[in-house]
Amino acid sequence: MEEELCITTLEERDLSDLMGELVSVYQRAYATLPDYGYHSLQRIEGYIRWLWRGDPQGFFVAFLGKRLAGFVGVHATWWENGELFGEVHEFVVDPAFQGKGVGSALFGRALEYLMNRGRKKIGLWVGEKNEGAMQFYLKRGFQKTIQYGKWVRMVKEVEIPVSPRDFGEAPLFRWNKR
Ligand code: ACO
């Protein structure tokens, strides 16, 4: 990869500054998967804010040089049918940058964060015909569990580090303004 990949969390003001780019990356990533993404600008923006507010330290963005290449939004505390999960809610990479390892790097950071918060199970919902994302998760040890309508539940059981560090109080990194 020619340009440097930088993965960071965001303060709320940076989220606002970057909102246009975040929405645009989301729209491009779901352009070929219209059944699984939100469509109105207002809905997408509200969704991105919901992701960030639910766990600001679990919202990671990837920059390639100065361009926003993708983001992942996870919540470290998520209850699903009475079970505690680290939940991967959203994960997108701009199609212009897909297949270059950006997604793997983002996803790795998100999983590391969830494991450091002590989560033993990582869960997500993926569209039943979203073969690309499903392959991505299967290769990383996720297994299909239940299906609810067009959504497939995938779960991965993880080994807890010997001394899990709790990043809950860590300051958010400041995004370097361009
Ligand atoms: N066909 C087959 N495999 C695919 C495809 C595809 N169309 N797209 C991604 N993959 C998988 C492959 O397993 C590939 O494995 P490889 O390393 O052996 O080639 C891997 O993804 C590529 O890895 P990266 O380059 O690290 O990932 P990338 O930067 O392309 O990001 C992502 C992966 C986020 C899934 C991206 O393809 C994307 O944005 N897709 C559209 C949006 C989407 O489906 N998001 C996930 C929804 S589910 C959820 O958010 C919980």
Side-chain angles (χ1 to χ4, degrees):
M1 212 176 290
E2 288 163 27
E3 291 189 283
E4 192 188 345
L5 177 66
C6 167
I7 294 177
T8 182
T9 49
L10 299 174
E11 290 183 355
E12 193 159 20
R13 56 190 158 160
D14 297 327
L15 183 82
S16 296
D17 286 352
L18 279 174
M19 187 54 77
E21 285 178 72
L22 292 163
V23 169
S24 169
V25 165
Y26 176 94
Q27 287 177 310
R28 283 199 292 276
Y30 279 104
T32 56
L33 298 161
D35 289 346
Y36 306 129
Y38 295 119
H39 299 282
S40 85
L41 287 181
Q42 200 181 13
R43 189 71 188 83
I44 299 168
E45 183 170 335
Y47 174 52
I48 291 171
R49 286 196 189 281
W50 175 84
L51 287 170
W52 186 89
R53 287 199 184 114
D55 190 345
Q57 305 214 27
F59 190 93
F60 297 93
V61 293
F63 285 96
L64 262 181
K66 292 183 175 180
R67 284 194 62 183
L68 180 78
F71 65 90
V72 59
V74 304
H75 289 175
T77 302
W78 186 260
W79 293 92
E80 191 88 30
N81 292 325
E83 262 193 293
L84 179 60
F85 285 90
E87 185 78 5
V88 181
H89 286 292
E90 194 52 74
F91 176 40
V92 286
V93 170
D94 188 326
F97 302 117
Q98 285 177 15
K100 298 171 191 252
V102 175
S104 298
L106 265 176
F107 200 72
R109 275 292 287 277
L111 251 58
E112 180 188 44
Y113 166 71
L114 294 174
M115 288 168 69
N116 283 328
R117 293 293 304 271
R119 290 300 156 267
K120 293 179 189 163
K121 285 192 178 186
I122 314 296
L124 57 87
W125 291 94
V126 60
E128 63 183 346
K129 293 183 182 150
N130 188 349
E131 292 298 334
M134 257 184 223
Q135 283 307 315
F136 183 100
Y137 301 132
L138 287 169
K139 279 185 192 173
R140 285 154 184 82
F142 283 75
Q143 293 184 336
K144 294 181 190 178
T145 60
I146 54 169
Q147 180 153 357
Y148 186 76
K150 62 186 175 184
W151 299 104
V152 175
R153 180 88 179 144
M154 297 187 80
V155 171
K156 177 183 168 86
E157 307 218 5
V158 291
E159 298 278 324
I160 298 221
V162 180
S163 307
R165 282 178 294 158
D166 190 331
F167 289 165
E169 300 303 318
L172 294 174
F173 296 104
R174 188 83 183 107
W175 164 60
N176 287 325
K177 285 207 185 292
R178 287 157 283 171

